[in-house]
Every structure is written in structure tokens, then in C-alpha cells.
């Protein structure tokens, strides 16, 4: 039994999921959030499927034990590789949400695109989850998927809006693999932090899909359907990391203000 005034659990390998948490907070101001950033294991994008599943299961269990009424896997890599495992493992009616299905539905509803780009981590692109879900929803859509592995670690280190980030972003986006696209999916939750630079590169010629916002609206809809929307904010948002880093602290403050309390938590020991 999950109570509607309990918190929503949100997790990612690092700061990327904060873009989703922030969008949820804006869409659902009555909700309390518990965030877990697995900074000790970031980047997930280069890890094996087994490792990503193991980390995701441990974090989801921790969030469940913290009393969360729903869990949002605010990471495309974990959503690609661990969503079904987390769902099966926690089962018992706890809603588990990923960041891919809402984006695929959004694109399918829009309908009009003929060719779309998808950029994400190596693990996300290699999993083929976006490619197959988009092909199923829109058989005539051409999907041009490309791994951009330097981007998430770059953002995590606080490298954006400078010459280095601009060069890396422009080099990736100039790839022939992304030629003639009408829209691009930022299939990594770190990428909204470099959305401005991506927009500058495309200069209005390609639609950039704001995935964090799409996911937040879907969380709202799912909680509404399950009668789990909170009527009042009951607690303070909590932020946990597996390893405290300055950039995580800075980004959390940037999104959630100076008063946040960042706690380091070891959830890997057997009985933790
Ligand atoms: N933010 C993540 C994603 O959406 C993961 C980045 C990483 O840890 O490699 O894929």
C-alpha cells in the first residue's frame, strides 16, 4: 500500500536526473522528492548491462525502503537496461517509471516527423531500445541514433557553455550519421544542461525534444491515474549521493536552492 503524500524517488548516475527532478518539481509542486545520484559509479554509459542492473536494483530498493510511493528512473541508460528488472524485482504495485516510454509516446502523438536523431550514451544506443520502440510506434520514421559518450562526463564535471564543450558538441552533431534530421531526442538526462549549445548548433532548423519536461508531465498523469497525487507538500526534498562531488553539490544548489542538504550514503554493503 503506497500513500499519496509519500515522496517520489528519482535516481540517476549523477546530476542528469536533476533535470527530471526539477521538471517534476515544477509540474507537481506538492510532491516531495528523494533523489539518489550514483556519483561513485558515474558514467553508467560505459558499464556492462549487469553492472547497470545491479546498481539500479540497489538504488530502487533503497528508495522503496525510504517510503517512496513511486520511482522514476531518471536515466536513459538505466531505463534502457534495468527498467524491467527493477519492475520485476520491486513488483508489488510500486509504480516504476522510465524516461523512454513517455518520449516515444510524445513523438508518436506528434506524428509529423520523417527523420529523427537520437543521441545518448554508448549503453543506451547499443541497447537499441529507442530504435525498436520508435520503429514499433512509427514504422515509417527513420531513426538516426548515435552514441555521444563524452557528453555526460563533460556535463557531470561542470563543463558546459565554454569553448571545450562547444567544440565537442559541434563535432558530434556534425557527424554524417545525424544528417537531414528534423528533430533530435536528448536521450540522456544530462543533455538538457547543454540544450542551449545544441540549439545554437542547429539554429532553429531542428526541433530539440525537451525530454525532462515530457517525462514530468507523464509522471503527473500516471500518479493521477493511480490516485497517488499528493495534496500538500509534507516533507523536505532529500538528496543522496554515493560519493560527494563538488559539481553535484553545485548543480543541486543551482536547481533546488542553497538550503539543500546533500547526504552521502553507502547502499552497497549487504545490509545497508
Ligand atoms: N544521465 C544518464 C542517462 O540518461 C547517464 C549518463 C551516464 O552515467 O553515462 O543516460
Amino acid at each position: 500500500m503506497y500513500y499519496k503524500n509519500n515522496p517520489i524517488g528519482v535516481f540517476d548516475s549523477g546530476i542528469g536526473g536533476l533535470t527530471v527532478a526539477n521538471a517534476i518539481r515544477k509540474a507537481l509542486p506538492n510532491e516531495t522528492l528523494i533523489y539518489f545520484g550514483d556519483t561513485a559509479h558515474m558514467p553508467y554509459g560505459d558499464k556492462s548491462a549487469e553492472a547497470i542492473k545491479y546498481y539500479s536494483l540497489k538504488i530502487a530498493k533503497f528508495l522503496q525502503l525510504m517510503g517512496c510511493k513511486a520511482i522514476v528512473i531518471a536515466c536513459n541508460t538505466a531505463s534502457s537496461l534495468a527498467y524491467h528488472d527493477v519492475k520485476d524485482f520491486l513488483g508489488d504495485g510500486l509504480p516504476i517509471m522510465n524516461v523512454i516510454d513517455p518520449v516515444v509516446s510524445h513523438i508518436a502523438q506528434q506524428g509529423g516527423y520523417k527523420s529523427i536523431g537520437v543521441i545518448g550514451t554508448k549503453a543506451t544506443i547499443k541497447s537499441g531500445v529507442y530504435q525498436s520502440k520508435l520503429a514499433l510506434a512509427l514504422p515509417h520514421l527513420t531513426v538516426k541514433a548515435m552514441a555521444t559518450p563524452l557528453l555526460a562526463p563533460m556535463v557531470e564535471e561542470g563543463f558546459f557553455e565554454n569553448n571545450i564543450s562547444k567544440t565537442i558538441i559541434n563535432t558530434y552533431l556534425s557527424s554524417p550519421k545525424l544528417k537531414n534530421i528534423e528533430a533530435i531526442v536528448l536521450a540522456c538526462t544530462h543533455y538538457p544542461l547543454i540544450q542551449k549549445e545544441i540549439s545554437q548548433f542547429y539554429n532553429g532548423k531542428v526541433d530539440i525534444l525537451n525530454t525532462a519536461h515530457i517525462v514530468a508531465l507523464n509522471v503527473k498523469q500516471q500518479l493521477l491515474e493511480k490516485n497517488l497525487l499528493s495534496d500538500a507538500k509534507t516533507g523536505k526534498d532529500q538528496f543522496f549521493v554515493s560519493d560527494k562531488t563538488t559539481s553535484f553539490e553545485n548543480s543541486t544548489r543551482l536547481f533546488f536552492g542553497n538550503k539543500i542538504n546533500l547526504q552521502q550514503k553507502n547502499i552497497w554493503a549487504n545490509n545497508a
Side-chain angles (χ1 to χ4, degrees):
M1 183 69 189
Y2 297 100
Y3 297 101
K4 55 186 189 178
N5 286 351
N6 283 18
I8 302 174
V10 180
F11 78 89
D12 179 43
S13 60
I15 62 172
L18 291 170
T19 59
V20 177
N22 190 39
I24 294 175
R25 186 183 58 142
K26 285 189 182 149
L28 295 165
N30 282 341
E31 300 295 334
T32 305
L33 303 177
I34 300 186
Y35 188 89
F36 193 97
D38 191 9
T39 41
H41 298 120
M42 154 84 208
Y44 278 8
D46 297 342
K47 302 281 186 305
S48 66
E50 288 68 33
I52 295 161
K53 283 178 191 171
Y54 176 74
Y55 302 145
S56 302
L57 290 174
K58 279 276 191 186
I59 299 166
K61 186 76 205 160
F62 167 71
L63 294 170
Q64 187 188 36
L65 290 173
M66 293 293 288
C68 292
K69 66 179 176 188
I71 294 178
V72 181
I73 306 178
C75 170
N76 286 268
T77 311
S79 291
S80 300
L81 292 151
Y83 169 63
H84 292 288
D85 289 66
V86 172
K87 232 173 130 79
D88 293 347
F89 179 66
L90 296 181
D92 72 357
L94 178 65
I96 310 292
M97 305 176 197
N98 68 63
V99 287
I100 299 176
D101 290 328
V103 174
V104 170
S105 305
H106 174 87
I107 296 167
Q109 271 159 26
Q110 297 237 309
Y113 298 124
K114 288 193 190 69
S115 173
I116 202 163
V118 178
I119 51 170
T121 66
K122 273 196 259 183
T124 299
I125 301 302
K126 196 174 146 220
S127 76
V129 170
Y130 270 98
Q131 297 91 317
S132 55
K133 289 196 176 206
L134 283 168
L136 202 66
L138 293 159
H140 302 296
L141 179 71
T142 301
V143 180
K144 301 190 174 183
M146 189 177 90
T148 46
L150 291 177
L151 297 185
M154 177 186 90
V155 171
E156 188 77 21
E157 284 302 319
F159 264 77
F160 39 96
E161 289 176 35
N162 61 33
N163 285 338
I164 297 174
S165 62
K166 197 174 170 185
T167 307
I168 295 175
I169 292 166
N170 289 4
T171 306
Y172 275 138
L173 299 182
S174 310
S175 165
K177 283 189 189 165
L178 294 174
K179 265 232 147 29
N180 302 324
I181 51 171
E182 294 156 306
I184 190 156
V185 181
L186 308 186
C188 172
T189 53
H190 280 72
Y191 300 174
L193 288 155
I194 46 171
Q195 184 162 343
K196 197 166 144 197
E197 288 162 283
I198 295 175
S199 302
Q200 277 164 0
F201 175 86
Y202 285 119
N203 198 19
K205 294 188 186 96
V206 167
D207 293 343
I208 295 157
L209 299 177
N210 180 343
T211 45
H213 181 63
I214 296 167
V215 170
L217 293 182
N218 181 268
V219 170
K220 185 175 181 178
Q221 184 58 30
Q222 288 205 50
L223 292 179
L224 182 71
E225 283 164 15
K226 294 174 170 62
N227 198 22
L228 277 175
L229 277 178
S230 172
D231 6 78
K233 189 154 178 140
T234 49
K236 275 184 96 173
D237 297 330
Q238 294 187 69
F239 298 88
F240 294 92
V241 280
S242 47
D243 190 21
K244 260 195 188 182
T245 62
T246 319
S247 62
F248 192 97
E249 209 149 3
N250 292 342
S251 304
T252 318
R253 297 225 148 85
L254 193 77
F255 283 126
F256 289 87
N258 271 328
K259 288 198 189 120
I260 62 119
N261 175 21
L262 188 58
Q263 304 171 62
Q264 185 160 332
K265 183 90 191 156
N266 177 5
I267 60 166
W268 316 112
N270 274 342
N271 299 316

